[in-house]
Amino acid sequence: MASAASAPPTPNNLKRIVAASLIGTTIEWYDFFLYGSAAALVFNKLFFPDSDPLVGTLLSFLTYAVGFAARPLGALVFGHYGDRLGRKKLLVLSLLLMGGATFAIGLLPTHATVGTAAPVLLTVLRLVQGFALGGEWGGAVLLVSEHGDARRRGFWASWPQTGAPAGQLLATGVLSLLTAVLSDTAFGSWGWRIPFLLSGVLVIVGLWIRLSVDESPVFKKALAQAEARKEREGAAEKLPVVSVLRHHWRDVLVAMGARMAENISYYVITAFILVYATTSAGVSKQTALNSVLIASAVHFAVIPAWGALSDRVGRRPVYLLGAVGVGAWMFPFFSLVDTGGFGNLVLAVTVGLVLHGAMYAPQAAFFSEMFATRMRYSGASIGAQFASVAAGAPAPLIATALLADYGTSTPIALYVIAAAVLTVVAVGVAQETRHRDLADVEPATTPAAETGSAAHSPAADARTV
């Protein structure tokens, strides 16, 4: 029988929680993707003007990658305090940090005004963005996962995941509109600042909604039991990260491997494509942006459908379908882009993102179900964000460098395929998690629970503090 903590909340309450998580992740991904698009389109000229155009793009993407370097630190800090203090408080802080850094980028002087100080300031703000995003994802998906109906956890937890395509849609849409109505000179001079400054308005809306929701009942129950155990036994809890590495290190490795194809393919399909399509396929910036805009709308729509499917057939089958599909699609993807036709470009990006969604949608529930409540924020965040350093961070850089060295898309396609193989292996050795009860917060007593064995028994599924 489900515990009170795991009882489904009222529909209105759950929708408000989903909305709070979704709007926060949308804003944070808007900020993050806005930088990526600007890095591909204008930052090479504004902040690295003394470089060769392709080298300038590489340097621009390098500052883009710096944001990923800060995400593991954000995962550790936010994960620790999120497991100790609660999910809600840390989500408010992450939103303020991300929004403030993005707004400040819109006010930055360029290289023409302050010289080398400009890229330095840009890099610092990028680090703040990455730190905030490293803490945002875990808290947002846990807030929904721990509130939601266990039978439909994959569906409800997939909604914060739609914040990525929603943020991409919003960022690309604003940039597309500005490039359509402004001349290249006006956009490069002042128009690029507008999307960054708009972040300030979005943060106010996000805070208003996010402050209105309650803390996770599963977390509150786990916290109360941990405090009672501490009073009874007189022993302090171990640090969440220590518990994760002791009991869940295999799960962390599985999560990192699962992220490889998902993360790399996404940034190749949405960020690097803006470079490839405009330089190698002769497509205009407007056309490239519009293709990503249309595909992101479809991506947004299919993620909840993939999440719902994972509730019916399991997290692993849906995830594996996405990994295999993305790998198989890479050569057709670049062949379609090389034609230069708008319809083919839209088809290439849309199919790629639909397949990506099969990995991204169940990821929230899948990772949440791997870890115990009092170490769940840390475990899910560490697994997701440490992988991003090796996956998403260098993906545009590696793809751009491969294009510069070989002048063809073949090595880039092979790069994504290799990531897909790694993800298939990681998810293939993982255990199915969809039947686990997140409200099981009592320590398990089985040997598997103590050793963190990947071969879970039903009792081991309740591994906790």
Side-chain angles (χ1 to χ4, degrees), residues 23 53 115 134-135 154 156 158 177 189 203 227 279 287-288 310 318 338 358 379 396 405 416 423 432 434 442 452 465:
I23 194 166
W156 289 116
S158 70
L177 177 63
S189 176
V203 167
E227 290 176 345
T279 58
T287 299
S310 77
V318 177
D338 286 337
D405 288 344
V416 178
T423 291
E432 182 55 60
R434 70 185 172 109
E442 285 302 310
V465 291

Side-chain angles (χ1 to χ4, degrees), residues 306 309-319 362 432-434:
W306 285 123
L309 182 63
S310 77
D311 286 326
R312 296 179 65 87
V313 303
R315 318 300 182 211
R316 292 173 66 251
V318 177
Y319 212 115
E432 182 55 60
T433 63
R434 70 185 172 109

Side-chain angles (χ1 to χ4, degrees), residues 27 95-96 198-210:
I27 293 169
L95 186 61
L96 286 172
L198 284 176
S199 180
V201 178
L202 296 174
V203 167
I204 294 173
V205 176
L207 283 175
W208 176 68
I209 296 177
R210 189 160 274 189

Side-chain angles (χ1 to χ4, degrees), residues 15 18 112 145 173 225 238 253 339 348 386 394 443 455:
K15 289 177 182 177
V18 170
S145 294
Q225 293 192 356
K238 290 184 173 63
L253 292 178
T339 66
F386 273 69

Side-chain angles (χ1 to χ4, degrees), residues 343-362:
N344 286 341
L345 188 58
V346 171
L347 178 63
V349 179
T350 300
V351 173
L353 289 184
V354 167
L355 294 169
H356 170 271
M359 293 182 284
Y360 200 54

Side-chain angles (χ1 to χ4, degrees), residues 44-407:
N44 58 334
K45 300 173 185 176
L46 295 173
F47 293 93
F48 308 99
D50 298 330
S51 304
D52 171 84
L54 193 57
V55 174
T57 300
L58 280 168
L59 292 173
S60 186
F61 274 141
L62 183 59
T63 60
Y64 178 70
V66 162
F68 284 85
R71 284 166 70 170
L73 180 60
L76 289 171
V77 174
F78 279 81
H80 172 81
Y81 288 104
D83 281 328
R84 287 295 176 89
L85 304 177
R87 301 12 177 158
K88 177 181 172 179
K89 296 182 181 68
L90 275 298
L91 286 174
V92 170
L93 178 60
S94 69
L95 186 61
L96 286 172
L97 285 174
M98 176 65 87
T102 304
F103 186 84
I105 289 175
L107 301 175
L108 274 183
T110 64
H111 188 278
T113 304
V114 297
T116 55
V120 171
L121 291 171
L122 182 66
T123 301
V124 170
L125 292 175
R126 183 61 177 164
L127 284 168
V128 175
Q129 279 191 322
F131 179 77
L133 190 57
E136 163 68 22
W137 181 84
V141 300
L142 292 188
L143 196 64
V144 177
S145 294
E146 293 178 344
H147 271 94
D149 180 355
R151 294 170 300 176
R152 304 185 67 196
R153 186 182 297 130
F155 171 74
W156 289 116
S158 70
W159 279 100
Q161 301 292 76
T162 65
Q168 179 77 67
L169 190 65
L170 192 57
T172 307
V174 172
L175 284 172
S176 182
L177 177 63
L178 289 172
T179 56
V181 300
L182 297 177
S183 65
D184 287 346
T185 301
F187 182 77
S189 176
W190 55 269
W192 67 271
R193 298 182 183 275
I194 295 174
F196 289 92
L197 298 177
L198 284 176
S199 180
V201 178
L202 296 174
V203 167
I204 294 173
V205 176
L207 283 175
W208 176 68
I209 296 177
R210 189 160 274 189
L211 286 169
S212 69
V213 303
D214 295 327
E215 181 56 79
S216 154
V218 172
F219 172 79
K220 288 192 289 187
K221 179 183 176 182
L223 178 60
Q225 293 192 356
E227 290 176 345
R229 188 159 48 249
K230 179 180 178 181
E231 184 175 329
R232 183 176 64 251
E233 300 174 0
E237 285 185 287
K238 290 184 173 63
L239 294 176
V241 66
V242 174
S243 297
V244 167
L245 296 179
R246 178 184 177 187
H247 296 292
H248 290 279
W249 61 271
R250 286 185 176 86
D251 296 316
V252 169
L253 292 178
V254 166
M256 291 177 67
R259 283 275 281 172
M260 289 299 161
E262 178 268 306
N263 220 216
I264 289 173
S265 66
Y266 189 80
Y267 291 106
V268 168
I269 292 169
T270 60
F272 170 71
I273 195 62
L274 298 178
V275 175
Y276 184 82
T278 54
T279 58
S280 295
V283 175
S284 69
K285 285 189 292 187
Q286 185 67 43
T287 299
L289 284 169
N290 286 343
S291 68
V292 175
L293 186 66
I294 294 170
S296 294
V298 177
H299 194 210
F300 179 92
V302 300
I303 284 178
W306 285 123
L309 182 63
S310 77
D311 286 326
R312 296 179 65 87
V313 303
R315 318 300 182 211
R316 292 173 66 251
V318 177
Y319 212 115
L320 288 170
L321 174 63
V324 173
V326 161
W329 183 243
M330 277 301 101
F331 281 111
F333 171 82
F334 283 109
S335 296
L336 287 168
V337 174
D338 286 337
T339 66
F342 178 66
N344 286 341
L345 188 58
V346 171
L347 178 63
V349 179
T350 300
V351 173
L353 289 184
V354 167
L355 294 169
H356 170 271
M359 293 182 284
Y360 200 54
Q363 187 180 99
F366 189 32
F367 289 9
S368 298
E369 292 158 349
M370 287 181 182
F371 302 96
T373 301
R374 291 287 282 161
M375 60 186 85
R376 186 171 292 135
Y377 201 145
S378 295
S381 296
I382 289 170
Q385 304 306 335
F386 273 69
S388 69
V389 176
L397 275 169
I398 291 173
T400 302
L402 290 172
L403 180 63
D405 288 344
Y406 296 96

